Amino acid sequence: MSTGKRNTRQKQAVIDALNDSDEFRSAQKIHLDMVEKGEKVGLATVYRNLRSLAQDGAIDMLMAPDGESLYRRCDLDTHHHHLVCRNCLRSIEVTGSEMEELLHALVEKHGFTEIEHSLEIFGICPQCQADLAAKE
Amino acid sequence: MSTGKRNTRQKQAVIDALNDSDEFRSAQKIHLDMVEKGEKVGLATVYRNLRSLAQDGAIDMLMAPDGESLYRRCDLDTHHHHLVCRNCLRSIEVTGSEMEELLHALVEKHGFTEIEHSLEIFGICPQCQADLAAKE
DNA sequence: ATATGTGCAAATGCTTTGCAACGCC
DNA sequence: GGCGTTGCAAAGCATTTGCACATAT
């Protein structure tokens, strides 16, 4: 009863896989994890289910800097910096520090709809800094 | 003297093309605009130059929801919502409203490096809402 | 029974790369 | 002249799609 109309083994397996981890993972990684867990699911099916789950807002999805889509269970809204029209790509600059509070008012003021905010910070965590340094 | 070591006609053409607009554009769109303007440049060259310019921080680059890279002249830093390691994809949640001011402190606290923040809001602008409605 | 979901493989679309030709410095 | 840069076409990747088959309800 989450996304599609029917409950299939594959769909449940995708949901289960999402519940197996708190981290953002790519569709490919999730599929790989499922296969390694013994699930028999097609990659396309994983893509299709993740897509519809994300569309339903049932799971979080964000875009990695390299353009890969990453998925994770749960959902929380956020914000961004540029106000960009998804259709024409024209953008309106958002100043900065007052953004959090003004986000809603701003969006309303500009009359944008179908807002999609996602604020992520990408960087290298301490653990990886060490790991990467060790490999040098 | 911006990115590479040599000043070529093509490299300058890409920079000029970027200065022709304030909007975020995909590499393909920028290349198309250049060709229509009469420039003779290969698509790969446009990709290569945009890439290195972005890497040098000479231009802004952001990822569209569909995974396309968008470029624009100038640069301004911003922020996000999830603190995600670019290497292992592990993430740390950022609460929300106090983010702006706490971003710097937070990043420092978690010891992340090579931070890349980009906060954009995607939606449909009023103009496009009208256009799209008219097409129905 | 029948519409929906799945699997596979082919197709897409953006981006990168190999390599020879080219042209700054 | 030498090395960075370009062009073109081929390769790469993540993701989507067409279509026949399987299956929830």
Side-chain angles (χ1 to χ4, degrees), chain B residues 10-18 34 45-46 49-50 53:
Chain B
Q10 295 89 330
K11 190 174 303 183
Q12 189 54 52
V14 170
I15 295 171
D16 290 345
L18 284 163
M34 293 174 72
T45 299
V46 173
N49 280 310
L50 287 174
L53 282 167

Side-chain angles (χ1 to χ4, degrees), chain B residues 27-32 35 41-49:
Chain B
Q28 311 251 6
K29 176 69 164 62
I30 291 172
H31 176 250
L32 181 65
V35 170
V41 202
L43 177 57
T45 299
V46 173
Y47 269 106
R48 280 189 278 238
N49 280 310

Side-chain angles (χ1 to χ4, degrees), chain A residues 63 65 72 78 80-82 84 86 91 93 96 100 103 110-111 113 116 119-124 126 129, chain B residues 23 63 65 72 78 80-82 84 86 93 96 100 103 110-113 116 119-124 126 129:
Chain A
M63 195 66 67
R72 203 192 58 167
T78 39
H80 316 232
H81 188 204
H82 298 112
V84 184
R86 175 188 302 159
S91 64
E93 290 253 347
E100 293 289 337
L103 177 63
H110 287 109
T113 58
E116 193 178 286
L119 322 203
E120 292 85 32
I121 304 168
F122 282 88
I124 307 287
Q129 287 170 47
Chain B
E23 314 301 340
M63 195 64 67
R72 204 192 58 169
T78 39
H80 314 231
H81 188 203
H82 299 111
V84 184
R86 175 188 301 159
E93 290 254 348
E100 294 289 339
L103 178 63
H110 287 110
F112 273 53
T113 57
E116 193 178 284
L119 321 206
E120 293 86 32
I121 304 168
F122 281 87
I124 306 287
Q129 287 170 46

Side-chain angles (χ1 to χ4, degrees), chain A residues 22-26 60-70 72 74 76-91 93-94 96-101 103 106-107 110-129 131-132 135, chain B residues 22-26 60-70 72 74 76-91 93-94 96-101 103 106-107 110-129 131-132 135:
Chain A
D22 273 340
E23 314 302 338
F24 277 103
R25 284 174 294 169
S26 67
D60 275 346
M61 166 187 149
L62 69 82
M63 195 66 67
D66 68 336
E68 244 190 330
S69 291
L70 304 179
R72 203 192 58 167
C74 117
L76 284 171
D77 276 320
T78 39
H79 22 276
H80 316 232
H81 188 204
H82 298 112
L83 183 54
V84 184
C85 175
R86 175 188 302 159
N87 183 252
C88 66
L89 296 184
R90 267 189 291 266
S91 64
E93 290 253 347
V94 179
S97 67
E98 78 284 49
M99 205 185 60
E100 293 289 337
E101 298 71 25
L103 177 63
L106 180 84
V107 163
H110 287 109
F112 272 53
T113 58
E114 293 182 42
I115 296 302
E116 193 178 286
H117 19 131
S118 63
L119 322 203
E120 292 85 32
I121 304 168
F122 282 88
I124 307 287
C125 69
Q127 177 67 60
C128 288
Q129 287 170 47
D131 292 350
L132 295 172
K135 281 182 193 159
Chain B
D22 272 339
E23 314 301 340
F24 277 104
R25 283 174 294 169
S26 67
D60 275 345
M61 167 186 149
L62 69 83
M63 195 64 67
D66 68 335
E68 243 190 330
S69 291
L70 305 179
R72 204 192 58 169
C74 117
L76 285 170
D77 276 319
T78 39
H79 22 276
H80 314 231
H81 188 203
H82 299 111
L83 184 53
V84 184
C85 175
R86 175 188 301 159
N87 185 252
C88 66
L89 296 184
R90 269 189 290 267
S91 65
E93 290 254 348
V94 178
S97 69
E98 78 284 50
M99 205 185 62
E100 294 289 339
E101 296 72 24
L103 178 63
L106 181 83
V107 164
H110 287 110
F112 273 53
T113 57
E114 294 182 41
I115 297 301
E116 193 178 284
H117 18 131
S118 63
L119 321 206
E120 293 86 32
I121 304 168
F122 281 87
I124 306 287
C125 69
Q127 177 67 61
C128 288
Q129 287 170 46
D131 292 351
L132 294 173
K135 281 181 194 159

